[in-house]
Amino acid sequence: MRVDHIGIAVRNLDEAVRFYRDVLGLELVKIEEVPEERVRIAMFRVGNAYVELLQGTDPESAVSKFIEKRGEGVHHIAIHVDDVDAKTEELKSRGVALVYDKPRDVSHGERRINFVHPKSAFGVLLEIMTRRE
Ligand code: CMX
């Protein structure tokens, strides 16, 4: 397993991109909409991992609701696993609260993801995911 990315919730993606790319100097890999999760994201490569900025695309988006309640900031940590379906089943059998019963494909199948609810992970939203590249 390895850390794949750290997700940061922001109100204004374009403004945040200007900081992370132009001021901090991180390498912007892509900006894309992920309709399955109702977010627009910007991915920056940092060594073998990424920083992912997320802006909700509607008020009901998990990211919009997070910002409404807790403000901008670190939203989730994503752990890459070999088989997210197997990991989901293993964690469920251990009584861990998962957000989705089955993992879902996002970004045209580039990533398959699920989330451990923060109540099962000591206050942190953990994404478990497999990246197909
Ligand atoms: N990190 C830590 N705690 C969080 C949290 C987060 N990201 N989001 C919510 N919480 C906490 C809340 O503060 C709240 O705590 P208290 O009960 O102590 O107040 C508790 O979890 C419940 O929060 P809520 O506002 O009632 O939120 P919901 O239970 O409705 O939703 C969650 C929480 C995790 C199920 C929802 O955010 C979710 O489905 N997340 C998964 C999807 C997602 O985040 N998608 C965006 C990323 C997509 C991508 O990376 O591409």
Side-chain angles (χ1 to χ4, degrees):
M1 287 193 262
R2 59 179 172 81
V3 172
D4 183 89
H5 64 267
I6 295 171
I8 300 174
V10 301
R11 288 185 203 279
N12 183 322
L13 192 75
D14 297 330
E15 204 176 286
V17 164
R18 282 197 286 280
F19 171 74
Y20 280 90
R21 182 190 56 197
D22 303 338
V23 180
L24 204 53
L26 296 189
E27 177 196 350
L28 177 62
V29 179
K30 66 176 170 186
I31 295 180
E32 70 175 6
E33 189 154 343
V34 183
E36 302 89 342
E37 294 291 331
R38 296 191 276 191
V39 289
R40 202 157 75 88
I41 65 170
M43 297 290 279
F44 297 87
R45 199 187 316 277
V46 188
N48 294 328
Y50 300 88
V51 166
E52 179 186 69
L53 305 180
L54 309 113
Q55 179 187 339
T57 49
D58 75 61
E60 290 309 306
S61 156
V63 168
S64 306
K65 288 203 276 189
F66 173 87
I67 290 178
E68 206 50 51
K69 201 166 178 180
R70 301 167 62 125
E72 293 176 301
V74 173
H75 177 260
H76 66 270
I77 295 176
I79 309 280
H80 189 280
V81 297
D82 287 339
D83 182 342
V84 67
D85 289 85
K87 198 65 178 173
T88 293
E89 292 309 314
E90 180 199 329
L91 293 175
K92 271 168 35 184
S93 75
R94 292 176 168 217
V96 173
L98 279 300
V99 169
Y100 304 132
D101 190 47
K102 296 255 178 253
R104 50 166 67 173
D105 286 336
V106 297
S107 297
H108 311 288
E110 179 195 277
R111 285 169 284 134
R112 189 161 172 77
I113 66 173
N114 203 347
F115 293 88
V116 177
H117 197 283
K119 73 183 177 197
S120 274
F122 301 86
V124 176
L125 178 62
L126 282 182
E127 180 177 336
I128 50 171
M129 48 90 70
T130 303
R131 187 180 284 280
R132 305 180 183 116
E133 279 177 331

